[in-house]
Amino acid sequence: MATIGPDDIDLGLDTFGDVTLDAAGERVSDADTIRNVVDQAVLADQVGLSFFGVGEHHRHEFAISSPEIVLAAAAARTDSIHLGTAVTVLSSDDPVRVYERFATLDAVSRGRAEVILGRGSFIESFPLFGYDLRDYEALFDEKLDLFSQLLTERPVTWQGSMRAPLTDANVFPKTENGLKAWVGVGGTPESVVRAARYGYGLMLAIIGGPAARFRPYVDLYHRSLDSFGRDQLPIGVHSPGHIAATDQQAWDEAYAGFESMNNTIGRERGWPPYSRMRFQHDVGPEGALYVGSPETVARKIATTVRTLGANRFDMKFSTGTLSHDKMMRSIELFGTEVQPLVRDLLG
């Protein structure tokens, strides 16, 4: 594996459109949250970051259920930053419509659209759109196969078991230079091999434990690409984080949001209550949270990039109730201080 140098890494941001609290401690409206996300994308572009990703969810903690519309609004106000999802839940969507929406976004943004496809760690979209959770694996595998053919932008003849077949289906609009696509993987070997088989970039969602434990999946991805006769493709990392002037300030600002989100999801999934001790472990070398001063976060990102040979690192900068103003400062520091520090460290 080639050594990752300062010119080989892109830094980006991801958000799920977490609904936050205002200065008075009141819940911000969904509408204001969405408008804030567009402002966050604009700032990310201004500070020179490479990517801004918006997640798809269908529950009250998150305001964004239609990422492409939010991204189109961001495209109209940005110049250079690539815009995509984190992730698009392909299992409960239609591949044709997903392609059409992102090809449209690609036109609006003048070639800056990307799509990260995933099965989704939240399952609300399945009953909402009439899908059976027993088909969780089969839906994604079949729809990913169809989407792969649509990416060729040639007429598609295809047949599966989950939807009606297509015969010489010509889908529009066509893009000017193709559509960049990734598969988001949470850490199963089958998902890694699937991404390689269909020729997608690999986006590793590392939200717990040390990044080094994902190295076997990176090696598997490279071996799988070779076995399928494909050229090497990019590898990305998605992990939560927050940046402030000092480690202590970043920890103090971020903790309440992480506690709120972990306890909300934990009640549904049987997790123990979150604690400050757990948080301090997670922000340390063996944890998956990139929370601290610019120097601390830059060092941890550089270590992860070297360990995994990653070409992109996306920090999920919104978590729970963390306020808009603190997120904006985090974005500013990520672009103006963390980004050059990471490149210096990799140099």
Side-chain angles (χ1 to χ4, degrees), residues 106-153:
D106 197 65
V108 170
S109 65
R110 295 186 179 273
R112 292 184 282 134
E114 299 184 15
V115 58
I116 302 176
L117 306 166
R119 294 175 298 175
S121 61
F122 292 88
I123 59 174
E124 289 78 12
S125 62
F126 287 82
L128 187 64
F129 299 121
Y131 290 99
D132 192 331
L133 270 173
R134 290 174 295 184
D135 297 326
Y136 185 81
E137 289 284 350
L139 280 166
F140 187 69
D141 201 23
E142 184 172 293
K143 292 185 177 189
L144 192 66
D145 178 62
L146 174 54
F147 194 82
S148 301
Q149 295 192 40
L150 293 167
L151 284 177
T152 67
E153 303 196 355

Side-chain angles (χ1 to χ4, degrees), residues 146-273:
L146 174 54
F147 194 82
S148 301
Q149 295 192 40
L150 293 167
L151 284 177
T152 67
E153 303 196 355
R154 297 190 296 267
V156 171
T157 296
W158 178 92
Q159 184 168 352
S161 60
M162 299 290 177
R163 59 154 290 159
L166 298 174
T167 302
D168 285 332
N170 210 0
V171 180
F172 303 95
K174 307 299 184 186
T175 66
E176 292 173 316
N177 296 293
L179 182 64
K180 187 172 185 178
W182 307 68
V183 167
V185 173
T188 61
E190 296 80 8
S191 297
V192 173
V193 174
R194 181 190 289 122
R197 181 169 72 247
Y198 289 114
Y200 291 92
L202 181 70
M203 181 60 67
L204 298 168
I206 304 179
I207 58 175
R213 71 187 180 92
F214 280 76
R215 182 53 200 254
Y217 297 113
V218 171
D219 294 338
L220 174 61
Y221 181 61
H222 288 308
R223 292 196 305 271
S224 299
L225 288 171
D226 287 340
S227 70
F228 294 124
R230 294 189 178 278
D231 294 333
Q232 292 302 310
L233 294 168
I235 294 171
V237 173
H238 156 104
S239 287
H242 176 65
I243 306 159
T246 67
D247 287 346
Q248 191 66 53
Q249 182 183 347
W251 298 339
D252 291 344
E253 289 179 354
Y255 176 71
F258 279 101
E259 180 188 47
S260 172
M261 188 55 64
N262 274 272
N263 287 343
T264 297
I265 299 170
R267 283 190 291 270
E268 301 171 3
R269 302 184 181 183
W271 299 348

